[in-house]
Amino acid sequence: MIHADDGILSQEQRLMRDSCRSFVDDVVTPFIRSNWQREWDMSPGERLPGSILEGAEAIGIRTLGVPEEFGGIDLDRETEVRTFALIAEEIARGDSGLADKLVQNWKVSIVIRQFAAKHLQEKWFPRLLEDPKFLLAHCLTEPRGASDRWLPYNVPEASMHTRAVLDGDHWVINGRKQFISNGFDASLYVVYANTDPSVGMLQGTSSFLVPRETPGLTVTKCNETMGCRFMNNGELVFEDCRVPADHLLVKSTALASAGQYFRAGKIIQAAKNLGVGVACFERTADYVQNYVQGGRILIKHQAVALRLADMATRIEAVRSLVERASKAVDEAHPDADILCNMAKVYASEEIMKVATHALELHGGNGAMLEFGIEKLFRDAAIFLHMDATVDVSRMKIIKNMFPATAGKYAGPET
């Protein structure tokens, strides 16, 4: 059993899953297989044709998370994260970069609907729905601080270097953000900045809604990533970027307030990773049952059959943890944070092993660009550090389990 069990899905989830599966099988996968050179186009905007995003729009998955009153699809809030995970897996089975491109819209839409003033929702949600190429981005990571900031060191010296200072009826933002998903071509950004340098980041970080055309905001480059290349990862510089005061989303406690975003984000990362693993298995299962070597189809060689069984086992183990963690987030279970981080880190390591099996079982073909297996291997590898490194994720797990002792701040005794 390589796909989600229909018995645990609602009718709405089954219909959405089936629509996504058809879209991937009929549109995404054929495009990826026949245009393998496109991900290496050095004009980032030309890599993914607009028709792909238009196809995602046509089946209603580009704007999940947008409230129904603005024309979005209002998912059942009791199972919303589970639905996100289901759809993310299916899209990533076709291409993880496309999945990442889309899920940023879902995740940032959650933040906007929860924290943005009504007039801002009325302005931006319609624009998101009107333009299939409209993308959202979430800006946290900086050159001198990334997932390491999530270590349990909530002290001023660990805070963000991007600063925002109130000047009359505007906030003035200065700083730099890097490794931002959709950062190169997003139209609207949620930006986190330090507004109180005297306290730790959990008490001194605020979030802002910043349109791309805001003076002082410059998109400086598209990062050439090893995997997920159909999502254009970018870097941004803020130089006296003046944002209207009403574009402040959360004052001081933005990181803590966006807990649902971060928890859902971990689940979606694990689900996308799972989709890559499923693609590895499907492609490999087909290959070993048709490719002849040593006078027999490959699967008749026991060593090959055993590797395929190992791939399937790892995929099902990851799926089980993702489903449990998704349910915990939807139900606001006390262990949701722990399970989210477990799912993220476990998926990244297990699916990497699945991708390694796929690469090796394809032999020489697995190393050829036009064959597509090395792409899945690269896509799997990048998940090891997406949305926090493996080590930081493990630190967060143990800190949540033993908050009084694990990862105690290693600075001077007070």
Side-chain angles (χ1 to χ4, degrees):
M1 191 179 77
I2 294 301
H3 292 285
D5 181 5
D6 276 8
I8 66 173
L9 303 179
S10 67
Q11 182 179 8
E12 179 187 51
Q13 288 172 325
R14 283 196 297 273
L15 289 171
M16 294 186 72
R17 188 272 316 273
D18 291 346
S19 294
C20 286
R21 189 168 294 172
S22 296
F23 174 58
V24 165
D25 291 342
D26 298 340
V27 179
V28 179
T29 299
F31 168 77
I32 298 296
R33 296 291 297 273
S34 60
N35 295 276
W36 61 267
Q37 305 99 323
R38 287 285 287 266
E39 67 170 322
W40 302 106
D41 191 326
M42 289 297 105
S43 297
E46 302 300 317
R47 290 173 187 163
L48 190 71
S51 59
I52 299 289
L53 289 176
E54 290 166 6
E57 176 70 20
I59 63 171
I61 61 169
R62 192 181 64 87
T63 54
L64 297 181
V66 174
E68 191 172 24
E69 64 181 293
F70 298 108
I73 297 176
D74 211 3
L75 300 176
D76 183 350
R77 296 293 174 87
E78 293 185 359
T79 58
E80 182 177 57
V81 175
R82 278 172 280 182
T83 303
F84 283 157
L86 182 72
I87 304 308
E89 177 194 336
E90 286 296 331
I91 299 302
R93 185 174 65 87
D95 182 70
S96 60
L98 172 62
D100 205 25
K101 215 175 187 79
L102 294 174
V103 304
Q104 299 305 317
N105 280 7
W106 309 347
K107 295 191 295 182
V108 178
S109 291
I110 293 176
V111 175
I112 294 174
R113 83 184 185 200
Q114 186 171 353
F115 299 116
K118 192 71 171 180
H119 72 280
L120 292 175
Q121 296 188 41
E122 292 171 346
K123 176 179 180 179
W124 291 108
F125 279 139
R127 292 194 186 184
L128 175 61
L129 267 71
E130 289 166 5
D131 182 2
K133 297 180 181 179
F134 193 106
L135 298 173
L136 304 173
H138 193 255
C139 306
L140 273 169
T141 302
E142 298 178 342
R144 289 185 289 177
S147 59
D148 56 294
R149 284 214 172 96
W150 294 105
L151 290 169
Y153 302 156
N154 185 35
V155 291
E157 55 265 38
S159 295
M160 292 186 178
H161 290 90
T162 299
R163 291 286 312 279
V165 177
L166 186 61
D167 179 23
D169 57 358
H170 282 75
W171 286 91
V172 181
I173 303 176
N174 282 281
R176 188 183 189 95
K177 298 292 182 180
Q178 71 172 6
F179 305 152
I180 305 302
S181 296
N182 281 353
F184 183 74
D185 38 23
S187 298
L188 186 64
Y189 302 88
V190 171
V191 178
Y192 290 75
N194 185 350
T195 50
D196 186 353
S198 67
V199 296
M201 68 176 185
L202 294 179
Q203 292 78 35
T205 303
S206 301
S207 56
F208 304 86
L209 200 61
V210 184
R212 184 186 185 93
E213 63 271 14
T214 305
L217 165 57
T218 305
V219 179
T220 59
K221 66 179 292 190
C222 178
N223 292 310
E224 297 300 339
T225 56
M226 65 180 289
C228 300
R229 289 183 56 82
F230 285 108
M231 180 278 295
N232 294 327
N233 187 290
E235 304 207 1
L236 299 85
V237 170
F238 300 85
E239 297 175 294
D240 292 330
C241 180
R242 298 181 67 85
V243 178
D246 64 359
H247 282 50
L248 173 70
L249 298 178
V250 180
K251 176 72 183 302
S252 301
T253 58
L255 295 178
S257 299
Q260 181 72 1
Y261 167 91
F262 295 119
R263 286 188 288 271
K266 300 290 183 188
I267 297 298
I268 291 171
Q269 287 289 7
K272 288 186 297 175
N273 207 170
L274 178 60
V276 173
V278 172
C280 286
F281 181 86
E282 291 179 344
R283 294 279 299 276
T284 305
D286 178 71
Y287 184 78
V288 300
Q289 291 178 89
N290 289 284
Y291 192 83
V292 176
Q293 190 164 316
R296 298 288 186 273
I297 57 172
L298 282 175
I299 199 169
K300 290 192 175 183
H301 298 283
Q302 288 187 353
V304 171
L306 293 177
R307 277 185 185 260
L308 199 65
D310 188 71
M311 292 170 71
T313 302
R314 293 180 192 277
I315 288 169
E316 286 306 318
V318 170
R319 184 186 307 288
S320 295
L321 185 51
V322 170
E323 289 175 351
R324 184 183 175 197
S326 302
K327 189 171 185 289
V329 175
D330 281 329
E331 296 177 354
H333 192 280
D335 289 337
D337 277 339
I338 295 172
L339 289 167
C340 285
N341 281 290
M342 286 180 172
K344 187 271 171 191
V345 71
Y346 186 70
S348 69
E349 294 191 317
E350 292 303 295
I351 299 303
M352 191 69 238
K353 294 171 185 173
V354 169
T356 301
H357 282 322
L359 192 72
E360 294 187 1
L361 286 174
H362 278 80
N365 285 326
M368 302 302 155
L369 289 176
E370 67 271 21
F371 218 77
I373 297 303
E374 60 80 36
K375 176 185 183 301
L376 293 174
F377 184 83
R378 288 185 284 107
D379 288 348
I382 206 168
F383 281 98
L384 291 167
H385 82 271
M386 288 182 76
D387 212 348
T389 64
V390 166
D391 288 340
V392 169
S393 295
R394 287 193 174 123
M395 193 67 213
K396 291 178 70 176
I397 291 167
I398 206 67
K399 179 62 179 176
N400 276 316
M401 294 176 72
F402 305 106
T405 53
K408 203 67 176 175
Y409 182 51
E413 293 288 343
T414 56

